[in-house]
């Protein structure tokens, strides 16, 4: 500013002849130096800003990557409000009406004694992956994995009403049982037999929220109803979904159930009535979307929901081939019986 002020004053002087002397070149040179210095200064600021911007983008990408990894350990219903609104996280919980589901794999403990750790981990990870997808599809809060079991609940932090929460939980449990049938067929081909799911469900008031300390928190639930769901799951048989009376009252108009009996459960003074939820498709006769039948040496599993239009011809061809083989074996057995009968008559 001083240089340009001096230039303006000097050039306005009537005594200056711009075509002679050394004052004019010096002024022009000084002006060029100032302008070049300003360009250089702006360029350096731009380079510095660009470097800081790249560093900020790198830190942001790293932070997003870390958050994405950490969120895999936390239910989306818990971390999404924290990320979106930066809401405070404290040790807090409240009493709420929940529908709680406990599930595990029948026969997994016995199978673990005869399998290698690699095969065991593969089976368990496949099972948990499929069940987690189903839980997320139905909007359940996946509380935790317990060995080969899992705990889910509906009602917090987003509830659709006690009745709808119970219906959503039953729909999820039925989908899990159907998915287990598909997994069982795959595992059976790999030589792993006898893996079934069992599920216990109840509806009631529990305390749900953040439990722990300021340094370590866990979003979970505690209460007698959670214990009841766990006891019902332990009492269920292979592929059975047992529900308590409180859940049955909500779902009985939408799902066919039959009374499984009154169970004496650990931690409960009086017997607890339980109902078994039947598969809606399995009890619609010809409208069934599932066909599942097992005999020694024979496994039939049809899931019409997953079949495509161009699959039916191939399925029919394979069934016809299998039927021809059955007829051939039956004729062979009949011929062997006839030959044995002739030998007996000859003797």
């Amino acid at each position: 500013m001083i240089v340009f002020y001096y230039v303006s004053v000097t050039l306005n002087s009537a005594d200056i002849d711009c075509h002679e002397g050394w004052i004019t070149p010096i002024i022009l040179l000084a002006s060029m130096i100032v302008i070049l210095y300003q360009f250089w200064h702006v360029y350096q600021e731009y380079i510095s800003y660009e470097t800081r911007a790249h560093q900020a983008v790198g830190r942001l990408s790293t932070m997003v990557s870390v958050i994405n990894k950490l969120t895999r350990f936390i239910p989306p219903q818990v971390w999404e409000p924290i990320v979106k609104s930066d809401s405070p996280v404290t040790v807090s919980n409240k009493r709420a009406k929940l529908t709680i589901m406990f599930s595990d794999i029948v026969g997994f403990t016995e199978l673990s004694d005869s399998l290698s750790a690699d095969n065991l981990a593969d089976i368990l990870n496949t099972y948990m992956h499929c069940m987690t997808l189903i839980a997320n599809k139905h909007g359940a809060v996946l509380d935790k994995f317990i060995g080969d079991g899992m705990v889910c609940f509906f009602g917090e932090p987003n509830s659709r009403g006690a009745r709808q929460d119970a219906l959503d939980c039953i729909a999820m449990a039925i989908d899990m049982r159907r998915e287990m049938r598909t997994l069982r067929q795959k595992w059976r081909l790999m030589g792993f037999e006898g893996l079934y799911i069992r599920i216990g469900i109840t509806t009631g008031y529990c305390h749900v929220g953040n439990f722990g300390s300021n340094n370590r928190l866990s979003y979970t639930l505690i209460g007698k109803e959670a214990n009841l769901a766990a006891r019902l799951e332990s009492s269920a048989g292979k592929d059975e979904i047992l529900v308590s009376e409180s859940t049955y009252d909500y779902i009985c108009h939408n799902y066919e159930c039959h009374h499984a009996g009154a169970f004496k459960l650990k931690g409960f003074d009086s017997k607890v009535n339980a109902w078994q939820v039947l598969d809606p498709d399995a009890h619609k006769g010809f409208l069934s979307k599932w066909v599942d039948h097992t005999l020694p040496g024979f496994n039939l599993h049809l899931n019409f929901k997953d079949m495509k239009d161009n699959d039916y011809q191939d399925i029919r061809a394979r069934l016809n081939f299998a039927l021809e083989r059955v007829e051939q074996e039956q004729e062979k057995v009949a011929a062997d019986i006839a030959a044995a009968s002739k030998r007996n008559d000859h003797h």
Side-chain angles (χ1 to χ4, degrees), residues 39-268:
F39 273 113
W40 177 82
H41 180 69
V42 171
Y43 176 73
Q44 291 298 320
E45 287 187 346
Y46 168 75
I47 294 297
S48 176
Y49 170 78
E50 190 176 30
T51 302
R52 292 195 304 270
H54 281 301
Q55 292 175 348
V57 170
R59 288 193 298 267
L60 183 61
S61 299
T62 302
M63 186 181 301
V64 171
S65 176
V66 171
I67 291 176
N68 287 336
K69 294 174 183 177
L70 291 176
T71 54
R72 298 170 68 181
F73 295 89
I74 308 171
Q77 295 89 341
V78 178
W79 64 259
E80 284 180 351
I82 299 174
V83 173
K84 290 180 179 179
S85 61
D86 192 22
S87 58
V89 179
T90 59
V91 178
S92 62
N93 53 78
K94 64 179 182 179
R95 190 169 180 263
K97 195 167 191 177
L98 308 175
T99 296
I100 310 157
M101 187 206 77
F102 276 67
S103 70
D104 74 346
I105 302 176
V106 182
F108 187 80
T109 303
E110 293 76 8
L111 185 66
S112 62
D113 295 333
S114 59
L115 287 183
S116 66
D118 292 339
N119 288 333
L120 200 64
D122 182 65
I123 290 175
L124 195 57
N125 288 331
T126 301
Y127 163 77
M128 290 182 173
H129 170 73
C130 295
M131 298 306 158
T132 300
L133 293 178
I134 294 174
N136 292 337
K137 182 183 75 172
H138 289 275
V141 176
L142 178 51
D143 184 5
K144 62 175 72 73
F145 294 112
I146 307 174
D148 61 320
M150 59 190 301
V151 183
C152 300
F153 62 86
F154 292 80
E156 278 293 325
N158 302 314
S159 175
R160 300 175 62 191
R163 182 174 182 273
Q164 189 58 50
D165 290 339
L167 291 172
D168 290 341
C169 188
I170 297 300
M172 178 187 69
I174 291 174
D175 281 351
M176 287 181 173
R177 180 166 61 183
R178 291 170 178 168
E179 182 65 24
M180 193 63 176
R181 293 173 184 171
T182 303
L183 293 175
R184 186 162 58 248
Q185 299 302 322
K186 296 179 181 178
W187 291 333
R188 184 171 287 147
L189 296 176
M190 299 168 60
F192 308 136
E193 294 280 352
L195 293 178
Y196 297 83
I197 194 173
R198 60 181 178 182
I199 297 173
I201 298 173
T202 189
T203 302
Y205 284 94
C206 288
H207 276 82
V208 59
N210 300 322
F211 293 86
S213 68
N214 291 327
N215 296 325
R216 177 68 181 270
L217 293 174
S218 176
Y219 186 84
T220 187
L221 73 163
I222 61 172
K224 190 175 182 180
E225 297 299 328
N227 296 334
L228 176 57
R231 299 290 183 265
L232 288 173
E233 176 254 308
S234 300
S235 302
K238 294 180 179 180
D239 265 357
E240 283 188 357
I241 302 173
L242 288 186
V243 301
S244 67
E245 187 169 3
S246 57
T247 304
Y248 172 77
D249 290 339
Y250 284 123
I251 69 163
C252 61
H253 299 293
N254 297 77
Y255 292 95
E256 185 178 357
C257 307
H258 79 257
H259 188 250
F263 295 86
K264 179 61 180 176
L265 303 178
K266 182 180 178 181
F268 294 86

